Amino acid sequence: MKFDESIFSERMKPISGSVIRDIFKLLGDPDMISFAGGNPSNAALESDVVAELAQDVLKQYGPSLLQYGATEGMMPLRESTAAFLKNCGISCTGAEILPTQGSTQAIDLLIKAVINPGDTILVESPTFLGSLQAMKIYQANIVPVPTDEGGLILEEVEKAILRYHPKMLYVIPTFQNPTGITLAADRRKPLAEMVNKYGVILAEDDPYRDLRYDGEACPAIKAYDENGWVVYLTSYSKLISPGMRVGAAVVSNPALLRKMVIGKQSSDVHTPLLNQAIVNEYLRRGLLMPHIRRICGNYRRQMHAMLDGFRFFPEGTVHTQPQGGLFVWAALPEGMNAAELLPKAVANKVAYVPGTHFYPEGGHENTLRLNFSMSEPEAIERGMRALGETFKA
Amino acid sequence: MKFDESIFSERMKPISGSVIRDIFKLLGDPDMISFAGGNPSNAALESDVVAELAQDVLKQYGPSLLQYGATEGMMPLRESTAAFLKNCGISCTGAEILPTQGSTQAIDLLIKAVINPGDTILVESPTFLGSLQAMKIYQANIVPVPTDEGGLILEEVEKAILRYHPKMLYVIPTFQNPTGITLAADRRKPLAEMVNKYGVILAEDDPYRDLRYDGEACPAIKAYDENGWVVYLTSYSKLISPGMRVGAAVVSNPALLRKMVIGKQSSDVHTPLLNQAIVNEYLRRGLLMPHIRRICGNYRRQMHAMLDGFRFFPEGTVHTQPQGGLFVWAALPEGMNAAELLPKAVANKVAYVPGTHFYPEGGHENTLRLNFSMSEPEAIERGMRALGETFKA
């Protein structure tokens, strides 16, 4: 019998894959200036340091580092991650930390633990499309909540909670993907109080927070969590290496942590021990904070080169003014269509991601996401000029 | 509001976690002789070799090995895995290989791609409880099919297909976990033909096949696949390192492969590049076959020490006679209860896994699974003697 595609599950039938990752595949051309990715700069990735740490931990642990490990993760990494998170006001122990395959797996395990098909998840509009895809696979009802330049509008969140009775609110509070916007400091405690009041899980996805180039840091929403409703998701992908696939969830409620651990047992048994040990050693030796300071200096120059480059864009273009992260968000004058313009931009050797994909309800065709971490300031200026000319043509 | 456990999803509410992994936690006692695990021997894990390979691949690839990678996996590993699988009669290209986090993730992604709640999966009875847990999380209807000393009974499989219209048949054909039984060579082609005839996906989970100590190897069921209904799952966990978490699925139907890739995008983006590159380099340098020969020599002695140790067991005990793998399966005389006897065995410093957990429908309280890879032959004899005395008391 010929293989019959009607065999696919209902959850997977409508899912066609991440547009971003498909755009990535077009970027083999070395002449392309890519504003499409979300990668750290190659200059921020220390393969020599990782090689040394790999040798050291394999010598230190021996064959036990190649054995099966606990699904809950290696305690040294859980503890060093808890210590690292003190800088954003989170007070937790290693026992509340679940190491994961990047924060991607953390959000997957959290959804798996709580969301039934049809359950509502509130999201910022726009939001990270990778998370939208995970929510769609679990057949969640995704409801966008309006944002302004200070992130989620609290009155709108409360209205949506009362109307939709969501199980979860998904927020990227710092240098958001895709907009670069940061949730205002004075909205954070009220948001923690609101989810505690109504009994909604708040997934605080915060992988960019340490990439701050301007302004003052503010505490995580999780810093104001009282009853375990806030689950904090962090990642070493943007700080040490995305290819190593090490992130973590902070889950203060033991029953929820247990459900996520059980979900992870069946997903991949555990995060590779070598990768956990390398990241732990990186933290333990105090390499992370100096590294962050170094890469932030470079990223700051790149971000400002991009912000300056908007002078080449058509009059009427509006863009965000991030203080960190990897992304700037722009809205072209109404009537322009960033998806339709993309092939022309690619022909002119510049790539970006059309903004419509980041809206759960689509639309917003005039928007686009621009990443500045993969090119030097001079190339960013050239790319922004070429983009501006493409859009004006 | 106090965190309310009623928020958990229907899929996770009834799941309490792997009994095996909970037994593992009791094994910190260095005096314990553990027949409970499924780990490779520490002597089979070459941390010095892995350290050298890690250094070499990080030098060779540089920062690109720390960047994001393709969800589909690294092509060199996909190709070296395809080449490795030729020895079991599977003829495929790298494009059909999906590297995964062990075969655990491969089965998770396959179920995610095809199984709706309530869909039927046929399994051997008994079968691997980790896979049973994954099936339960996806709310599959699990139907056991009777086996004999040659594995699945073909007439019973066909009867179950006609009665339950399953979407999937899950088989561990070689040195099965938990029984150690191998699907007879002359049942393999008919089984491939049967799933092709009826349009059932056959998940062939085959992580133990290269650990053969006696008898003759036979081709994989996948070797007889004609239309992509057989998905072959392999793993480097038992051959190189479980802690590295590298396995692979062979998926010949491109549409199914695409659905599994999309599922993996949302689960963990990709398998860590460092781990993929280390395993590829291990294969590419021709280290695997000599390593397998070496570890099989040791495992053979361990297995025979265990088989000899049944002379200490109560009269009426029946056990399998595996030709490889990591497990022997035993049935104590009717009326004895291996779960009830476990605390006594642990008090006598020997651990095992009660067999009842491996039956989807429970029961079979007199059975147990014994692993021989974690102890030297002398300790195995001591442990079998202590177990025998515990059971006789």
Side-chain angles (χ1 to χ4, degrees):
Chain A
M1 189 187 281
K2 286 277 168 240
F3 190 91
D4 181 357
E5 298 189 12
S6 70
I7 203 165
F8 295 140
S9 62
E10 293 307 318
R11 76 178 69 81
M12 292 305 293
K13 268 181 193 156
I15 312 285
S16 56
S18 160
V19 192
I20 291 196
R21 295 192 68 80
D22 290 338
I23 293 176
F24 285 179
K25 288 183 192 160
L26 305 171
L27 303 182
D29 180 349
D31 293 335
M32 185 75 69
I33 297 176
S34 174
F35 300 149
N39 296 28
S41 160
N42 272 344
L45 302 173
E46 306 164 303
S47 53
D48 49 343
V49 174
V50 172
E52 190 187 321
L53 296 177
Q55 269 224 323
D56 290 354
V57 296
L58 280 160
K59 191 173 233 175
Q60 183 191 332
Y61 288 94
S64 71
L65 203 63
L66 301 180
Q67 275 292 11
Y68 281 110
T71 306
E72 291 85 351
M74 290 176 77
M75 194 43 91
L77 175 64
R78 300 171 79 187
E79 286 173 349
S80 56
T81 297
F84 168 60
L85 293 176
K86 289 213 194 315
N87 79 23
C88 56
I90 296 175
S91 166
C92 67
T93 68
E96 290 163 69
I97 305 280
L98 176 62
T100 54
Q101 303 281 121
S103 59
T104 298
Q105 189 188 41
I107 185 72
D108 179 82
L109 294 176
L110 181 58
I111 298 174
K112 187 174 183 175
V114 302
I115 296 296
N116 291 315
D119 282 349
T120 294
I121 303 178
L122 303 181
V123 300
E124 295 155 307
S125 176
T127 191
F128 174 47
L129 59 81
S131 295
L132 287 177
Q133 180 169 307
M135 295 171 195
K136 284 177 191 163
I137 288 177
Y138 286 99
Q139 300 167 290
N141 175 38
I142 301 168
V143 174
V145 177
T147 58
D148 61 20
E149 66 286 356
L152 278 174
I153 301 165
L154 297 182
E155 297 69 32
E156 299 286 347
V157 177
E158 189 159 28
K159 247 195 277 179
I161 289 175
L162 293 171
R163 175 156 174 207
Y164 296 102
H165 306 288
K167 269 198 178 167
M168 193 187 293
L169 165 62
Y170 173 76
V171 189
I172 308 167
T174 322
F175 317 132
Q176 199 232 17
N177 181 357
T179 62
I181 284 174
T182 293
L183 183 68
D186 62 4
R187 298 186 189 179
R188 293 182 172 225
K189 188 159 182 262
L191 198 58
E193 290 169 346
M194 196 185 295
V195 296
N196 184 42
K197 176 175 171 189
Y198 292 110
V200 176
I201 288 178
L202 193 161
E204 182 177 16
D205 190 4
D206 209 15
Y208 308 105
R209 91 164 264 123
D210 290 287
L211 301 180
R212 174 175 283 280
Y213 322 132
D214 298 314
E216 286 289 312
C218 54
I221 307 168
K222 175 72 178 168
Y224 306 106
D225 180 30
E226 284 195 10
N227 286 306
W229 291 102
V230 183
V231 175
Y232 188 80
L233 315 175
T234 187
S235 174
Y236 296 106
S237 290
K238 307 300 189 278
L239 305 178
I240 301 175
S241 157
M244 294 278 287
R245 309 307 305 127
V246 180
V250 187
V251 190
S252 303
N253 181 277
L256 178 58
L257 178 64
R258 176 79 185 142
K259 289 297 183 197
M260 290 174 68
V261 165
I262 292 170
K264 186 166 166 65
Q265 266 180 5
S266 286
S267 289
D268 65 5
V269 188
H270 64 80
T271 294
L273 298 184
L274 176 60
N275 309 242
Q276 291 189 62
I278 289 172
V279 169
N280 174 56
E281 199 60 19
Y282 198 97
L283 293 167
R284 211 186 58 79
R285 293 190 187 177
L287 300 176
L288 187 57
M289 295 320 290
H291 178 65
I292 287 175
R293 277 192 292 276
R294 187 173 70 81
I295 63 178
C296 281
N298 293 334
Y299 285 150
R300 184 177 197 284
R301 281 186 286 280
Q302 291 164 290
M303 182 177 79
H304 284 284
M306 177 163 277
L307 292 172
D308 291 346
F310 280 105
R311 68 183 186 277
F312 301 117
F313 273 45
E315 209 169 328
T317 300
V318 181
H319 64 87
T320 55
Q321 290 278 1
Q323 298 190 317
L326 300 176
F327 306 108
V328 181
W329 180 255
L332 301 173
E334 281 296 337
M336 294 186 75
N337 185 315
E340 283 175 21
L341 288 162
L342 180 60
K344 285 179 191 138
V346 168
N348 290 334
K349 304 288 183 192
V350 194
Y352 58 84
V353 181
T356 185
H357 305 304
F358 298 93
Y359 288 94
E361 75 280 34
H364 306 265
E365 281 81 6
N366 60 323
T367 61
L368 61 156
R369 189 191 74 173
L370 295 165
N371 160 267
F372 52 78
S373 58
M374 296 297 283
S375 309
E376 289 306 304
E378 179 274 330
I380 291 173
E381 178 171 346
R382 255 191 303 132
M384 291 296 279
R385 182 193 299 267
L387 260 191
E389 285 164 5
T390 306
F391 294 153
K392 285 175 180 165
Chain B
M1 189 188 279
K2 287 278 167 239
F3 190 92
D4 181 355
E5 299 188 13
S6 71
I7 203 165
F8 295 139
S9 61
E10 294 305 319
R11 75 178 70 79
M12 292 306 292
K13 268 182 194 156
I15 312 284
S16 56
S18 159
V19 193
I20 290 196
R21 294 192 69 79
D22 290 338
I23 293 175
F24 285 179
K25 289 183 192 161
L26 305 172
L27 304 183
D29 181 349
D31 293 336
M32 185 75 68
I33 297 175
S34 174
F35 300 149
N39 296 28
S41 160
N42 272 344
L45 301 174
E46 307 163 302
S47 53
D48 49 342
V49 174
V50 172
E52 190 188 321
L53 296 177
Q55 270 223 322
D56 290 354
V57 295
L58 279 160
K59 191 173 234 176
Q60 182 190 334
Y61 287 95
S64 71
L65 202 63
L66 301 180
Q67 275 292 11
Y68 282 111
T71 306
E72 291 84 351
M74 291 176 77
M75 195 42 93
L77 175 63
R78 301 171 79 187
E79 285 172 350
S80 55
T81 297
F84 168 59
L85 293 177
K86 288 212 194 315
N87 79 23
C88 57
I90 296 175
S91 166
C92 66
T93 69
E96 291 163 71
I97 305 280
L98 176 62
T100 54
Q101 304 279 120
S103 60
T104 298
Q105 189 187 42
I107 185 71
D108 179 82
L109 295 176
L110 180 58
I111 297 174
K112 189 173 182 174
V114 302
I115 296 297
N116 291 315
D119 282 349
T120 295
I121 303 177
L122 303 181
V123 301
E124 295 156 306
S125 177
T127 191
F128 174 48
L129 59 81
S131 295
L132 287 177
Q133 181 169 307
M135 294 170 195
K136 284 177 191 163
I137 288 176
Y138 286 99
Q139 300 167 291
N141 176 37
I142 302 168
V143 174
V145 176
T147 57
D148 60 21
E149 66 285 356
L152 278 174
I153 302 166
L154 297 181
E155 297 69 30
E156 299 286 345
V157 176
E158 188 158 29
K159 248 196 277 180
I161 289 175
L162 292 171
R163 175 156 174 207
Y164 295 102
H165 306 288
K167 269 198 178 167
M168 192 186 293
L169 165 62
Y170 173 76
V171 189
I172 307 167
T174 321
F175 317 132
Q176 199 232 18
N177 182 356
T179 62
I181 284 175
T182 294
L183 182 69
D186 61 5
R187 297 187 190 178
R188 292 181 173 226
K189 188 160 184 262
L191 197 58
E193 290 169 347
M194 195 185 295
V195 297
N196 183 44
K197 175 175 172 190
Y198 292 109
V200 176
I201 288 178
L202 193 161
E204 181 177 17
D205 191 3
D206 208 16
Y208 308 105
R209 95 165 259 122
D210 291 287
L211 301 180
R212 174 175 284 281
Y213 323 132
D214 298 313
E216 285 289 313
C218 56
I221 306 168
K222 175 72 177 168
Y224 306 106
D225 181 30
E226 284 195 8
N227 285 306
W229 290 102
V230 182
V231 174
Y232 188 81
L233 314 175
T234 187
S235 174
Y236 296 106
S237 289
K238 306 301 188 277
L239 305 178
I240 300 176
S241 157
M244 294 279 286
R245 310 304 307 127
V246 180
V250 187
V251 191
S252 304
N253 181 276
L256 178 58
L257 178 64
R258 176 78 185 144
K259 289 296 183 198
M260 290 175 69
V261 165
I262 292 170
K264 186 168 167 65
Q265 266 181 5
S266 285
S267 290
D268 64 5
V269 188
H270 64 80
T271 294
L273 298 185
L274 176 59
N275 309 241
Q276 291 189 62
I278 288 171
V279 168
N280 174 56
E281 199 61 18
Y282 198 98
L283 293 167
R284 210 187 57 81
R285 291 190 189 177
L287 300 175
L288 188 56
M289 295 320 290
H291 178 65
I292 288 175
R293 278 192 292 276
R294 186 172 71 80
I295 63 178
C296 282
N298 293 334
Y299 285 150
R300 184 178 197 284
R301 282 185 287 278
Q302 291 165 290
M303 181 178 79
H304 284 284
M306 178 163 277
L307 292 172
D308 290 346
F310 280 105
R311 68 184 186 276
F312 302 117
F313 273 45
E315 207 169 331
T317 299
V318 182
H319 64 87
T320 56
Q321 290 279 0
Q323 298 190 316
L326 300 176
F327 306 107
V328 181
W329 180 255
L332 302 173
E334 279 298 335
M336 293 185 75
N337 185 315
E340 283 175 21
L341 288 162
L342 180 59
K344 286 179 192 139
V346 167
N348 290 334
K349 303 290 184 193
V350 194
Y352 58 83
V353 182
T356 185
H357 305 304
F358 298 93
Y359 288 94
E361 75 279 34
H364 305 265
E365 281 81 6
N366 60 322
T367 60
L368 63 155
R369 188 191 75 173
L370 295 165
N371 160 268
F372 52 79
S373 58
M374 297 296 284
S375 309
E376 290 305 305
E378 178 274 329
I380 291 173
E381 178 171 345
R382 254 190 306 130
M384 291 296 278
R385 182 194 300 266
L387 261 191
E389 285 163 5
T390 306
F391 293 152
K392 285 176 180 166

